[in-house]
Amino acid sequence: MEIKETLESLKSTTLVKIEQATTLDELNTIRVSTLGKKGSMTEVLRGMKDLSPEMRPVVGSLANEVRDTLTEALEAKKEMLETKAMNEALLNETIDVTLPGKELNNGTPHILTQVMEEIEDVFLGLGYEIIEGYEVEKDYYNFERMNLPKDHPARDMQDTFYITEDMLLRTHTSPVQARTMEKHDFTKAPLRMISPGKVYRRDSDDATHSHQFHQIEGLVIDENITMADLKGTLEVLLKKLFGEDRKLRLRPSYFPFTEPSVEVDISCFKCGGKGCNVCKHTGWIEILGAGIVHPSVLEMSGVDSEKYSGFAFGLGPDRVAMLKYGVNDIRNFYQNDIRFLEQFKVKG
Ligand code: PHE
Protein backbone atom coordinates (compact mmCIF):
# COMPACT_ATOMS: atom_id res chain seq x y z
CA MET A 1 0.00 0.00 0.00
CA GLU A 2 2.86 2.25 0.82
CA ILE A 3 3.97 2.78 -2.75
CA LYS A 4 0.48 3.91 -3.79
CA GLU A 5 0.45 6.56 -1.11
CA THR A 6 3.91 7.73 -2.09
CA LEU A 7 2.71 8.10 -5.66
CA GLU A 8 -0.42 9.99 -4.61
CA SER A 9 1.52 12.40 -2.42
CA LEU A 10 4.19 12.85 -5.10
CA LYS A 11 1.41 13.77 -7.49
CA SER A 12 -0.22 16.31 -5.20
CA THR A 13 2.98 18.00 -4.00
CA THR A 14 4.33 18.21 -7.56
CA LEU A 15 1.06 19.66 -8.84
CA VAL A 16 1.30 22.36 -6.17
CA LYS A 17 4.92 23.08 -7.15
CA ILE A 18 3.91 23.32 -10.79
CA GLU A 19 1.08 25.61 -9.86
CA GLN A 20 3.48 27.88 -7.96
CA ALA A 21 6.26 27.94 -10.52
CA THR A 22 6.77 31.40 -11.99
CA THR A 23 9.54 30.89 -14.53
CA LEU A 24 10.34 28.41 -17.29
CA ASP A 25 13.60 27.57 -15.53
CA GLU A 26 11.82 26.67 -12.32
CA LEU A 27 9.37 24.53 -14.27
CA ASN A 28 12.19 22.67 -15.97
CA THR A 29 13.83 21.95 -12.61
CA ILE A 30 10.55 20.46 -11.37
CA ARG A 31 10.25 18.30 -14.49
CA VAL A 32 13.78 16.94 -14.21
CA SER A 33 13.56 16.29 -10.46
CA THR A 34 10.26 14.41 -10.87
CA LEU A 35 10.16 12.70 -14.26
CA GLY A 36 13.85 12.76 -15.17
CA LYS A 37 16.14 9.74 -15.10
CA LYS A 38 17.12 10.42 -11.52
CA GLY A 39 13.77 11.96 -10.61
CA SER A 40 11.58 10.98 -7.66
CA MET A 41 8.98 9.28 -9.88
CA THR A 42 11.62 7.03 -11.43
CA GLU A 43 12.87 6.27 -7.93
CA VAL A 44 9.40 5.17 -6.79
CA LEU A 45 8.89 2.97 -9.83
CA ARG A 46 12.11 1.18 -9.09
CA GLY A 47 10.33 -0.21 -5.99
CA MET A 48 7.78 -1.96 -8.28
CA LYS A 49 9.93 -5.08 -8.51
CA ASP A 50 9.30 -5.81 -4.82
CA LEU A 51 5.52 -5.83 -5.27
CA SER A 52 3.38 -8.93 -5.41
CA PRO A 53 2.23 -9.93 -8.91
CA GLU A 54 -1.41 -8.88 -8.15
CA MET A 55 -0.38 -5.43 -7.00
CA ARG A 56 1.94 -4.68 -9.90
CA PRO A 57 -0.73 -3.86 -12.53
CA VAL A 58 -2.68 -1.75 -10.02
CA VAL A 59 0.33 0.31 -9.04
CA GLY A 60 1.52 0.33 -12.64
CA SER A 61 -1.67 1.96 -13.93
CA LEU A 62 -1.65 4.44 -11.04
CA ALA A 63 1.96 5.31 -11.88
CA ASN A 64 0.98 5.88 -15.53
CA GLU A 65 -1.86 8.08 -14.47
CA VAL A 66 0.37 10.14 -12.16
CA ARG A 67 3.02 10.52 -14.87
CA ASP A 68 0.42 11.57 -17.48
CA THR A 69 -1.19 14.05 -15.11
CA LEU A 70 2.13 15.60 -14.20
CA THR A 71 3.30 15.70 -17.82
CA GLU A 72 0.09 17.42 -18.84
CA ALA A 73 0.30 19.90 -15.98
CA LEU A 74 3.90 20.70 -16.87
CA GLU A 75 2.99 21.22 -20.53
CA ALA A 76 0.05 23.45 -19.71
CA LYS A 77 2.09 25.56 -17.33
CA LYS A 78 4.95 25.78 -19.81
CA GLU A 79 2.62 27.11 -22.49
CA MET A 80 1.19 29.61 -20.05
CA LEU A 81 4.60 30.88 -18.97
CA GLU A 82 5.77 31.16 -22.59
CA THR A 83 2.74 33.19 -23.58
CA LYS A 84 3.26 35.40 -20.56
CA ALA A 85 6.95 35.92 -21.43
CA MET A 86 6.05 36.81 -25.00
CA ASN A 87 3.39 39.29 -23.92
CA GLU A 88 5.84 40.94 -21.58
CA ALA A 89 8.48 41.16 -24.32
CA LEU A 90 5.94 42.70 -26.67
CA LEU A 91 4.94 45.22 -24.05
CA ASN A 92 8.55 46.17 -23.34
CA GLU A 93 9.35 46.56 -27.04
CA THR A 94 6.48 48.89 -27.74
CA ILE A 95 7.76 51.88 -29.68
CA ASP A 96 7.06 55.17 -28.05
CA VAL A 97 6.05 57.27 -31.02
CA THR A 98 6.07 60.41 -28.92
CA LEU A 99 9.87 60.25 -28.39
CA PRO A 100 11.86 62.85 -30.38
CA GLY A 101 13.49 61.36 -33.53
CA LYS A 102 17.21 60.75 -33.97
CA GLU A 103 18.94 63.15 -36.32
CA LEU A 104 20.16 61.41 -39.48
CA ASN A 105 23.60 62.39 -40.65
CA ASN A 106 23.02 62.84 -44.38
CA GLY A 107 25.93 62.94 -46.79
CA THR A 108 26.21 65.38 -49.65
CA PRO A 109 27.75 65.28 -53.12
CA HIS A 110 31.37 66.45 -53.19
CA ILE A 111 31.72 70.12 -54.07
CA LEU A 112 33.43 69.20 -57.36
CA THR A 113 30.54 66.92 -58.26
CA GLN A 114 28.15 69.77 -57.52
CA VAL A 115 30.06 72.18 -59.76
CA MET A 116 30.35 69.62 -62.57
CA GLU A 117 26.64 68.90 -62.40
CA GLU A 118 25.88 72.60 -62.53
CA ILE A 119 27.97 72.88 -65.71
CA GLU A 120 26.42 69.73 -67.17
CA ASP A 121 22.96 71.19 -66.56
CA VAL A 122 23.81 74.28 -68.61
CA PHE A 123 24.96 72.15 -71.55
CA LEU A 124 22.06 69.72 -71.31
CA GLY A 125 19.87 72.80 -71.59
CA LEU A 126 21.71 73.73 -74.81
CA GLY A 127 21.06 70.28 -76.29
CA TYR A 128 24.49 68.72 -75.71
CA GLU A 129 25.13 65.04 -75.06
CA ILE A 130 27.25 63.98 -72.09
CA ILE A 131 29.87 61.43 -73.13
CA GLU A 132 32.14 59.39 -70.87
CA GLY A 133 35.70 58.72 -71.93
CA TYR A 134 38.45 56.44 -70.63
CA GLU A 135 40.84 57.47 -67.87
CA VAL A 136 43.33 54.89 -69.11
CA GLU A 137 43.81 55.94 -72.71
CA LYS A 138 45.94 55.04 -75.68
CA ASP A 139 48.83 57.31 -76.55
CA TYR A 140 47.25 57.24 -79.99
CA TYR A 141 44.03 58.99 -78.90
CA ASN A 142 45.53 61.15 -76.14
CA PHE A 143 48.28 62.58 -78.36
CA GLU A 144 48.47 61.44 -81.98
CA ARG A 145 44.84 61.94 -82.87
CA MET A 146 45.06 65.33 -81.18
CA ASN A 147 47.75 66.34 -83.61
CA LEU A 148 50.62 65.65 -81.23
CA PRO A 149 52.83 63.10 -83.01
CA LYS A 150 55.48 61.20 -81.06
CA ASP A 151 58.20 63.83 -81.40
CA HIS A 152 55.97 66.89 -80.86
CA PRO A 153 57.52 69.29 -78.31
CA ALA A 154 54.12 70.23 -76.84
CA ARG A 155 53.93 66.72 -75.39
CA ASP A 156 56.40 67.81 -72.73
CA MET A 157 53.89 70.13 -71.10
CA GLN A 158 51.53 67.24 -70.49
CA ASP A 159 53.96 64.42 -69.87
CA THR A 160 52.24 61.91 -67.69
CA PHE A 161 51.89 58.52 -66.06
CA TYR A 162 52.53 55.76 -68.56
CA ILE A 163 51.13 52.28 -68.08
CA THR A 164 52.91 50.81 -71.10
CA GLU A 165 54.65 52.42 -74.08
CA ASP A 166 51.24 52.94 -75.70
CA MET A 167 48.91 53.33 -72.72
CA LEU A 168 48.74 56.17 -70.23
CA LEU A 169 46.54 57.99 -67.77
CA ARG A 170 44.98 60.57 -70.04
CA THR A 171 46.45 64.05 -69.72
CA HIS A 172 43.31 65.79 -70.88
CA THR A 173 39.73 64.96 -71.86
CA SER A 174 40.48 65.85 -75.50
CA PRO A 175 40.87 62.20 -76.65
CA VAL A 176 37.10 61.93 -76.18
CA GLN A 177 36.82 64.35 -79.12
CA ALA A 178 38.47 61.87 -81.47
CA ARG A 179 36.61 58.87 -80.07
CA THR A 180 33.26 60.63 -80.46
CA MET A 181 33.88 62.16 -83.90
CA GLU A 182 34.92 58.88 -85.49
CA LYS A 183 31.65 57.25 -84.41
CA HIS A 184 29.33 60.12 -85.25
CA ASP A 185 27.15 60.13 -88.35
CA PHE A 186 27.32 63.77 -89.50
CA THR A 187 24.76 63.24 -92.25
CA LYS A 188 22.14 62.69 -89.55
CA ALA A 189 22.88 65.45 -87.03
CA PRO A 190 25.50 67.93 -85.87
CA LEU A 191 27.70 66.85 -82.96
CA ARG A 192 27.33 68.65 -79.65
CA MET A 193 28.94 67.00 -76.68
CA ILE A 194 30.66 67.57 -73.39
CA SER A 195 32.80 65.04 -71.57
CA PRO A 196 33.59 65.54 -67.89
CA GLY A 197 36.15 63.47 -66.03
CA LYS A 198 39.48 63.04 -64.29
CA VAL A 199 42.80 63.77 -65.97
CA TYR A 200 46.39 63.21 -64.86
CA ARG A 201 49.66 65.03 -65.37
CA ARG A 202 53.12 64.89 -64.01
CA ASP A 203 52.81 68.24 -62.34
CA SER A 204 54.08 70.07 -59.33
CA ASP A 205 51.63 69.55 -56.45
CA ASP A 206 51.12 73.02 -55.06
CA ALA A 207 48.20 75.26 -54.13
CA THR A 208 46.99 75.57 -57.72
CA HIS A 209 48.30 72.35 -59.31
CA SER A 210 47.55 68.73 -58.69
CA HIS A 211 48.73 65.59 -60.47
CA GLN A 212 45.08 64.69 -60.79
CA PHE A 213 42.29 67.12 -61.55
CA HIS A 214 39.13 67.42 -63.63
CA GLN A 215 38.27 68.73 -67.04
CA ILE A 216 35.12 69.18 -69.02
CA GLU A 217 35.76 68.85 -72.71
CA GLY A 218 33.34 70.49 -75.12
CA LEU A 219 33.00 69.84 -78.84
CA VAL A 220 30.58 71.12 -81.45
CA ILE A 221 30.85 70.15 -85.11
CA ASP A 222 28.53 71.19 -87.89
CA GLU A 223 28.60 73.17 -91.13
CA ASN A 224 29.65 76.81 -90.70
CA ILE A 225 30.70 76.74 -87.06
CA THR A 226 32.82 79.78 -86.23
CA MET A 227 34.59 81.48 -83.36
CA ALA A 228 31.39 83.51 -82.82
CA ASP A 229 29.54 80.30 -81.89
CA LEU A 230 32.30 79.45 -79.44
CA LYS A 231 32.20 82.87 -77.84
CA GLY A 232 28.40 82.93 -77.60
CA THR A 233 28.28 79.46 -76.05
CA LEU A 234 30.95 80.21 -73.47
CA GLU A 235 29.23 83.47 -72.64
CA VAL A 236 26.04 81.58 -71.74
CA LEU A 237 28.02 79.19 -69.53
CA LEU A 238 30.23 81.73 -67.78
CA LYS A 239 27.37 84.12 -67.06
CA LYS A 240 25.40 81.26 -65.50
CA LEU A 241 28.41 80.33 -63.38
CA PHE A 242 29.78 83.72 -62.44
CA GLY A 243 26.96 86.22 -62.89
CA GLU A 244 25.15 88.01 -65.71
CA ASP A 245 27.52 91.03 -65.71
CA ARG A 246 30.58 89.02 -66.69
CA LYS A 247 32.42 90.02 -69.84
CA LEU A 248 34.53 87.63 -71.93
CA ARG A 249 37.94 88.21 -73.43
CA LEU A 250 39.63 85.91 -75.92
CA ARG A 251 43.43 85.98 -76.13
CA PRO A 252 45.45 84.19 -78.80
CA SER A 253 47.04 81.01 -77.59
CA TYR A 254 48.35 77.71 -78.88
CA PHE A 255 47.05 74.17 -78.77
CA PRO A 256 48.11 71.63 -81.41
CA PHE A 257 44.52 70.48 -81.89
CA THR A 258 42.87 73.86 -82.43
CA GLU A 259 43.65 76.61 -84.93
CA PRO A 260 43.20 79.40 -84.06
CA SER A 261 43.47 78.75 -80.33
CA VAL A 262 42.42 81.04 -77.50
CA GLU A 263 42.60 81.46 -73.76
CA VAL A 264 39.30 82.70 -72.42
CA ASP A 265 39.22 85.21 -69.57
CA ILE A 266 36.23 86.57 -67.66
CA SER A 267 36.03 89.97 -66.06
CA CYS A 268 36.68 89.57 -62.33
CA PHE A 269 33.51 88.75 -60.43
CA LYS A 270 34.94 90.12 -57.21
CA CYS A 271 36.08 93.58 -58.20
CA GLY A 272 34.17 93.85 -61.48
CA GLY A 273 37.41 94.57 -63.35
CA LYS A 274 39.03 97.24 -61.20
CA GLY A 275 41.72 94.89 -59.91
CA CYS A 276 41.90 92.85 -56.70
CA ASN A 277 43.62 89.83 -55.19
CA VAL A 278 41.35 87.32 -56.98
CA CYS A 279 42.25 88.63 -60.46
CA LYS A 280 45.83 89.40 -59.44
CA HIS A 281 45.12 93.09 -60.11
CA THR A 282 44.50 92.57 -63.81
CA GLY A 283 40.72 92.73 -63.78
CA TRP A 284 40.58 89.43 -65.69
CA ILE A 285 40.54 85.78 -64.67
CA GLU A 286 41.80 83.07 -67.01
CA ILE A 287 39.19 80.38 -67.12
CA LEU A 288 39.68 77.98 -70.03
CA GLY A 289 41.40 77.03 -73.26
CA ALA A 290 39.53 76.71 -76.52
CA GLY A 291 39.69 77.08 -80.27
CA ILE A 292 38.50 76.04 -83.71
CA VAL A 293 39.11 72.33 -84.28
CA HIS A 294 42.24 71.85 -86.40
CA PRO A 295 41.42 70.48 -89.89
CA SER A 296 43.92 67.64 -89.37
CA VAL A 297 42.06 66.54 -86.24
CA LEU A 298 38.82 66.45 -88.25
CA GLU A 299 40.42 64.53 -91.13
CA MET A 300 42.09 61.99 -88.82
CA SER A 301 38.61 61.23 -87.45
CA GLY A 302 37.19 60.83 -90.94
CA VAL A 303 35.37 64.17 -90.97
CA ASP A 304 35.45 66.22 -94.19
CA SER A 305 37.19 69.44 -93.13
CA GLU A 306 36.03 71.23 -96.28
CA LYS A 307 32.43 70.70 -95.34
CA TYR A 308 32.49 70.72 -91.55
CA SER A 309 34.08 72.88 -88.92
CA GLY A 310 33.82 73.01 -85.16
CA PHE A 311 34.92 74.47 -81.88
CA ALA A 312 36.33 72.77 -78.82
CA PHE A 313 37.10 73.86 -75.30
CA GLY A 314 38.59 72.41 -72.15
CA LEU A 315 37.32 73.75 -68.86
CA GLY A 316 38.67 72.98 -65.37
CA PRO A 317 35.89 72.49 -62.82
CA ASP A 318 38.45 72.50 -59.98
CA ARG A 319 39.41 76.02 -60.98
CA VAL A 320 35.77 77.05 -61.37
CA ALA A 321 35.02 75.73 -57.86
CA MET A 322 38.06 77.49 -56.39
CA LEU A 323 37.04 80.80 -57.90
CA LYS A 324 33.35 80.47 -57.13
CA TYR A 325 33.81 79.45 -53.50
CA GLY A 326 37.05 81.26 -52.66
CA VAL A 327 39.02 78.04 -52.10
CA ASN A 328 42.69 78.93 -52.34
CA ASP A 329 44.24 75.46 -52.28
CA ILE A 330 43.25 72.81 -54.84
CA ARG A 331 44.49 70.09 -52.48
CA ASN A 332 41.47 70.73 -50.23
CA PHE A 333 39.33 68.99 -52.84
CA TYR A 334 41.31 65.76 -52.61
CA GLN A 335 42.20 65.49 -48.93
CA ASN A 336 38.64 64.70 -47.89
CA ASP A 337 38.75 66.61 -44.63
CA ILE A 338 35.17 66.42 -43.45
CA ARG A 339 35.36 69.96 -42.01
CA PHE A 340 36.13 71.29 -45.48
CA LEU A 341 33.57 69.16 -47.32
CA GLU A 342 30.72 69.91 -44.93
CA GLN A 343 30.84 73.57 -45.84
CA PHE A 344 29.32 72.66 -49.17
CA LYS A 345 26.33 70.72 -47.91
CA VAL A 346 23.34 70.73 -50.21
CA LYS A 347 20.33 71.71 -48.12
CA GLY A 348 17.61 69.18 -48.74
N1 PHE B 1 43.17 69.89 -73.77
C1 PHE B 1 43.60 71.21 -73.42
C2 PHE B 1 44.39 71.15 -72.11
O1 PHE B 1 44.27 70.20 -71.39
C3 PHE B 1 42.45 72.16 -73.25
C4 PHE B 1 41.75 72.41 -74.52
C5 PHE B 1 40.67 71.61 -74.91
C6 PHE B 1 42.13 73.46 -75.37
C7 PHE B 1 40.02 71.84 -76.10
C8 PHE B 1 41.47 73.69 -76.54
C9 PHE B 1 40.44 72.90 -76.90
O2 PHE B 1 45.14 72.02 -71.82
Side-chain angles (χ1 to χ4, degrees), residues 158 171-172 174 177 201 215 217 255 257-258 289-291 312-314:
Q158 296 195 358
T171 61
H172 50 180
S174 299
Q177 288 189 30
R201 280 181 203 177
Q215 283 190 336
E217 192 77 12
F255 298 104
F257 33 89
T258 46
F313 58 86

Side-chain angles (χ1 to χ4, degrees), residues 42-62:
T42 324
E43 191 71 14
V44 174
L45 293 180
R46 245 181 232 135
M48 292 266 288
K49 63 182 185 315
D50 303 326
L51 291 176
S52 62
E54 312 86 76
M55 279 309 284
R56 248 180 238 168
V58 182
V59 174
S61 77
L62 175 64

